[in-house]
Amino acid sequence: MEKINSIYRYHQHTSYERRKMAGHRLDWQNQPSVCKEYNGIDPIVLPDNIPSMSLDIFKILKKGDPGQGLPHMDLEQLSVILGLTYTFTARASQGDDFFYYRSAASAGALYPTEIYIVTGGVKGLDDGLYHFGIHGHCLTRLRTGDLSGFVAGHLIPPSGALPVITFLFTSIFFRSSWKYRERAYRYHLLDTGHVIENLSIAMTALGIPFRISYDFADRNINRLAGLDDQKEVSLALAYIPGLKSSENSCMPMISLLPDDIKNAGIVSDREIEYPAILEIHEAGKPAVPKGNNMNDISDHAGLSPETWAALPDRLPADKTVTYPDCLFKRRSRRNFVTAPMDRKIFFSLLEALCMDDTPDPHTRSGYSHSFYTGFITANIDGFDQGIYILDREQRRFGLVKKGDFIERMAHACLDQMWLKSANIHFLFMSDLEQLEEKRGPRGYRYAMMGAGCMGERIYLLAASLGLGCCGIGAFYDQEAADIIGLTNASRLLYLVAVGRTSPHPGY
């Protein structure tokens, strides 16, 4: 069988078709563990100190990045950042055990994303490489010494400043492929985007400068973290730039970590490898310089509104749940009811999606031209039903075609008919051929993680506004593209439904 070495080929290979869906039984005896542990290494328990900030998430998004380097950080600040990025938010009984809700959304609640940190000058913590354990809000040290020069030198392009802290986001393949098989790589990327957005919002709320990079020397960063790259891989880095230049920093030699550290990535007694996942990830290892302009990608999608309308200035909602409370209230809620949505709430959502959309390659929005955003509306006060395109950079929207498309899209989403009662389906799409031409196969990571970032943002906005929200990565791909009116090369990547909900608990 020919290798899966292009974006379009992988996406088509993993597409769902209504009459070609094979049955798939879950192997419950080999359900993967959702928490990574290192036997024989005592963890460092972090202070439990998430502050009550009572900030409006809309104002946080509007603040933007402080932009300056940070001279130092202490352990308590680091603990706050990690707690606001990835934490347990509630628990529910599940048979004889408990299920723990997390602050970031995850397909099938399988949570493939892990976080490692590299420290270079954190007060109260020795320099080194650590794994963050969400289950105990703790750090496990895997390497000692200042490794910030190694990280700075393997970013593409290299960082001019030594990071004070680097956050490394990885994904464990089998956690998601246990259920979603070859399609799981889509969820590895979306779910990682969810966690990255939480980190970005936390950093902005705390006024801490940060940079996001999806471009780095994969093999060297995987080696640094002690990963078996057939099972777990690095997908993104976020770092806090310090004030020291990396120009004269030494590049430390990195030895292989012991097998017991590498084997911590084994999450089930019987794991299955899916070649398509390994092949598309391998194809995406070379990073393409960002010289090519991505601004015109939506011109090839087939979505061309006759007219555009500017977004109105934000009309604040009457009542919002403040940050970080909305983070702890975030859930995937499917109990939508057919009820009108206030127009000012609707425009608040659109406005928040447009905030921080800059071409700066050092922020997550620097990758936003890898995908484009649309939405389908139903039952919004004073607003026509139809399919729209949202120009995030110009803060405007345009009607592509008028009509009732919400129910049709619910059918395309594997006939999940609760979706037809939502007020909005947000759509994240890309022209896969243009994406690959300009960014190579690695561009798939940009588009999917970028869509995941926006999806998590919508989750938090919905929680803030008292709305239901649920992300959907499972749909009949061609049917969805036909409903929207996409070109042959363009596909829906992610759908996020938002709407009024019943007073009964969601899912």
Side-chain angles (χ1 to χ4, degrees), residues 95-368:
D96 296 330
D97 208 341
F98 291 104
F99 169 79
Y100 289 88
Y101 294 96
R102 300 193 187 190
S103 53
S106 175
L110 297 171
Y111 304 112
T113 305
E114 295 288 337
I115 301 176
Y116 301 77
I117 64 168
V118 176
T119 60
V122 175
K123 186 178 179 181
L125 186 66
D126 292 337
D127 291 345
L129 166 75
Y130 297 82
H131 171 263
F132 172 59
I134 187 174
H135 54 288
H137 194 62
C138 60
L139 296 176
T140 301
R141 188 164 66 181
L142 306 178
R143 292 186 186 273
T144 59
D146 186 354
L147 303 165
S148 54
F150 184 89
V151 173
H154 287 104
L155 290 167
I156 301 174
S159 170
L162 287 175
V164 176
I165 298 177
T166 301
F167 301 86
L168 169 60
F169 299 92
T170 72
S171 192
I172 296 179
F173 287 147
F174 189 65
R175 281 201 186 135
S176 298
S177 64
W178 170 75
K179 180 175 182 178
Y180 298 110
R181 297 179 288 179
E182 291 181 316
R183 194 178 173 102
Y185 192 60
R186 302 188 187 199
Y187 304 117
H188 298 139
L189 298 171
L190 290 171
D191 284 1
T192 300
H194 294 154
V195 181
I196 291 170
E197 183 67 8
N198 276 354
L199 176 76
S200 299
I201 290 172
M203 295 287 210
T204 306
L206 295 168
I208 297 173
F210 67 98
R211 300 289 181 265
I212 302 289
S213 180
Y214 301 160
D215 294 322
F216 47 86
D218 285 38
R219 287 181 176 84
N220 290 315
I221 295 299
N222 288 340
R223 180 187 175 100
L224 172 70
L227 308 181
D228 177 349
D229 64 5
Q230 301 297 293
K231 298 182 181 295
E232 181 180 2
V233 294
S234 308
L235 292 176
L237 298 176
Y239 60 98
I240 300 171
L243 298 180
K244 295 180 181 178
S245 170
S246 63
E247 186 175 346
N248 298 315
S249 64
C250 63
M251 181 78 77
M253 296 293 293
I254 297 296
S255 60
L256 290 173
L257 288 173
D259 285 344
D260 56 348
I261 289 180
K262 183 180 287 189
N263 291 340
I266 298 173
V267 293
S268 175
D269 292 336
R270 190 171 69 87
E271 297 186 4
I272 299 171
E273 284 188 358
Y274 291 94
I277 294 175
L278 299 174
E279 288 165 9
I280 187 59
H281 186 75
E282 182 69 26
K285 283 184 176 177
V288 177
K290 295 185 177 63
N292 293 324
N293 182 16
M294 291 293 292
N295 291 1
D296 62 347
I297 192 168
S298 61
D299 296 341
H300 303 273
L303 303 181
S304 301
E306 290 186 10
T307 59
W308 292 90
L311 283 176
D313 291 333
R314 187 203 162 202
L315 304 171
D318 295 330
K319 185 179 180 182
T320 61
V321 176
T322 53
Y323 181 83
D325 290 347
C326 62
L327 183 76
F328 291 91
K329 291 180 179 292
R330 187 217 63 79
R331 298 284 186 278
S332 291
R333 301 190 189 278
R334 306 173 184 176
N335 54 327
F336 297 120
V337 294
T338 304
M341 177 182 285
D342 189 295
R343 183 184 176 94
K344 64 184 178 183
I345 289 178
F346 168 65
F347 279 122
S348 291
L349 291 168
L350 297 187
E351 172 67 17
L353 286 181
C354 297
M355 291 174 182
D356 86 343
D357 189 41
T358 72
D360 183 353
H362 299 297
T363 67
R364 68 200 182 289
S365 63
Y367 297 96
S368 66

Side-chain angles (χ1 to χ4, degrees), residues 437-485:
E437 181 182 320
K438 295 172 182 291
R439 291 289 179 264
R442 199 180 187 95
Y444 197 58
R445 304 189 198 181
Y446 305 162
M448 294 296 286
M449 285 193 281
C453 285
M454 291 298 98
E456 181 72 5
R457 181 180 298 188
I458 295 169
Y459 267 110
L460 297 182
L461 293 166
S464 176
L465 294 166
L467 300 170
C469 179
C470 190
I472 303 293
F475 35 77
Y476 300 119
D477 294 75
Q478 188 63 57
E479 283 187 30
D482 290 343
I483 291 167
I484 300 166

Side-chain angles (χ1 to χ4, degrees), residues 397-454:
F397 61 92
L399 177 63
V400 175
K401 50 185 176 179
K402 198 173 181 178
D404 182 3
F405 295 97
I406 286 271
E407 184 169 347
R408 288 180 61 191
M409 189 57 78
H411 280 293
C413 292
L414 309 191
D415 296 309
Q416 298 182 82
M417 297 315 296
W418 49 268
L419 281 165
K420 73 177 184 179
S421 298
N423 297 94
I424 315 165
H425 290 176
F426 285 103
L427 312 170
F428 300 99
M429 305 158 281
S430 188
D431 183 316
L432 303 182
E433 290 183 353
Q434 285 290 311
L435 181 62
E436 182 148 10
E437 181 182 320
K438 295 172 182 291
R439 291 289 179 264
R442 199 180 187 95
Y444 197 58
R445 304 189 198 181
Y446 305 162
M448 294 296 286
M449 285 193 281
C453 285
M454 291 298 98

